Amino acid sequence: MKTRTLGAKKLEVSEIGLGAMGMSLPYGELPDKREMIKVLQEAVELGEHFIDTAEVYGPYTNEELIAEALAPYKDEVVISTKGGIKIIDGKQVVDGRPEELEKSVEGSLKRLKLEALDLYFLHRVDLNVPIEDVALTMQKLIKAGKIKHWGLSEAGIQTIRKAHSIEPLTAVESEYSLWTRGPEDELLPTLEELGIGFVPFSPLGKGFLTGKIDLDTDFGTGDARSILPRFQKEAMEVNIRLVELIKQVAEVKQATPAQIALAWILAQKPWIVPIPGTTKIKRVKENIGAAEIRFTAEELEQLTQAADQIQIVGHRYTPELAKRAGL
């Protein structure tokens, strides 16, 4: 697989990464650990050398899974992890205090069995902590050799600018896909101006854009999508039009809907690296195949304009989760 670079410090990663959240914080039943180790190892063998995790996934067990699975490939992979969300009384609570972030970094280093973290994200911005204090903490950790690069997840434009002015950001994570186009308004132009890479999570719309979900899909207990506004039946009855559009393009390009959705993201900017999540090696292979798809300028414009005509119904988060994302 080809590589892309993130940020002015030029962190080199595979052009498609792997989001590992679902391996420990599942959409439904918890996957088998041994199978997840196989998936991670084969993904690296196939060229996916950028793996995304977080302290809170599991919680804490996902980093341990990554460490065990990727021990033989330690020098071949780039691992990004995140801190700034704590589990208190069974609930996720944003905590970006410098002393807590330093503890989180130490914990991630221990669980991942690394001497330095390749890329460390503030998982969510803590409105009670000045972002300047966070940036200075990251600067301190970089100078100490604990982390090599840092980034922000789901951060606003002014927050990004303030943080970047103190210690340059390598990347920003946020949701972006054919049905989540918000980053195009301000975020992408700002990142391009500042020379910061972009790592879109949920590039397949939490599975919706793969075409595997329809109006009769029962997400079941424990699947987070069952409570998300976009996945309610009334919303899906409208949103399914986007999937139908993607399927039409996929048929013409002799590809799958998932490959079209990922290829569209890759075609936006050379400094964008999507991290689709999966627990199945066949999906890893399918996602990797997206890198081989090429759009002509006309094809890309036609797909984008057609998608623009479809008004997506439902917020991507519940009100509680939206607050945590600063929305």
Side-chain angles (χ1 to χ4, degrees), residues 44 73 140 165 205 307 321:
V44 174
Y73 308 95
K140 173 184 174 182
S165 69
L321 290 173

Side-chain angles (χ1 to χ4, degrees), residues 102-314:
E102 290 189 40
K103 291 178 184 176
S104 292
V105 165
E106 293 296 340
S108 290
L109 286 169
K110 183 178 180 180
R111 286 185 292 272
L112 288 167
K113 298 182 180 179
L114 295 172
E115 295 182 1
L117 301 175
D118 296 315
L119 176 56
Y120 187 78
F121 287 100
L122 178 67
H123 206 156
R124 291 293 184 272
V125 175
D126 187 341
L127 299 180
N128 297 313
V129 178
I131 196 62
E132 293 88 344
D133 291 352
V134 174
L136 287 170
T137 302
M138 295 299 107
Q139 186 178 79
K140 173 184 174 182
L141 290 165
I142 289 172
K143 289 180 178 178
K146 299 293 182 67
I147 62 176
K148 299 176 184 178
H149 302 264
W150 86 290
L152 295 172
S153 179
E154 294 278 59
I157 302 304
Q158 294 309 312
T159 297
I160 292 169
R161 289 188 179 278
K162 289 177 183 178
H164 187 69
S165 69
I166 295 172
E167 181 60 38
L169 295 159
T170 290
V172 166
E173 267 197 22
S174 194
E175 185 170 352
Y176 182 51
S177 68
L178 270 166
W179 83 337
T180 300
R181 305 279 296 282
E184 295 173 355
D185 296 332
E186 292 185 286
L187 180 59
L188 293 186
T190 299
L191 297 183
E192 186 160 38
E193 173 197 339
L194 299 176
I196 302 170
F198 185 42
V199 179
F201 64 79
S202 297
L204 297 176
K206 296 178 173 63
F208 189 69
L209 303 183
T210 66
K212 304 297 182 182
I213 295 173
D214 59 30
L215 300 180
D216 296 321
T217 299
D218 180 7
F219 294 110
T221 305
D223 191 318
R225 291 171 293 188
S226 65
I227 64 171
L228 296 180
R230 285 191 180 179
F231 287 91
Q232 303 311 302
K233 188 170 184 178
E234 297 78 8
M236 287 177 61
E237 287 174 347
V238 178
N239 297 338
I240 203 75
R241 292 172 53 207
L242 179 59
V243 178
E244 292 168 353
L245 168 64
I246 295 171
K247 285 182 176 179
Q248 291 173 7
V249 177
E251 185 174 353
V252 172
K253 301 292 283 185
Q254 295 184 317
T256 68
Q259 289 172 334
I260 294 300
L262 289 174
W264 178 85
I265 290 179
L266 291 171
Q268 301 308 303
K269 298 291 181 181
W271 38 267
I272 295 179
V273 179
I275 49 169
T278 186
T279 59
K280 298 178 175 64
I281 194 60
K282 66 179 181 179
R283 298 296 175 222
V284 170
K285 294 177 180 178
E286 180 182 2
N287 293 342
I288 288 174
E292 303 302 319
I293 295 173
R294 298 289 181 268
F295 295 111
T296 65
E298 183 179 8
E299 288 173 336
L300 188 62
E301 184 178 6
Q302 287 176 347
L303 173 55
T304 302
Q305 289 184 350
D308 286 341
Q309 302 307 309
I310 300 171
Q311 186 66 44
I312 299 301
V313 174

Side-chain angles (χ1 to χ4, degrees), residues 17-37 39-40 51-59 61-63 65-66 82 92 123 201-203 206-207 222-225 275-280 284:
L18 174 60
M21 183 186 76
M23 296 180 176
S24 303
L25 196 68
Y27 292 118
E29 186 177 349
L30 184 67
D32 179 75
K33 179 182 176 181
R34 290 169 296 180
E35 286 300 314
M36 295 307 95
I37 289 174
V39 170
L40 284 162
I51 311 298
D52 182 78
T53 181
E55 171 183 62
V56 78
Y57 297 163
T61 56
N62 196 247
E63 289 180 322
L65 170 67
I66 298 297
K82 299 177 281 291
Q92 294 186 5
H123 206 156
F201 64 79
S202 297
K206 296 178 173 63
D223 191 318
R225 291 171 293 188
I275 49 169
T278 186
T279 59
K280 298 178 175 64
V284 170

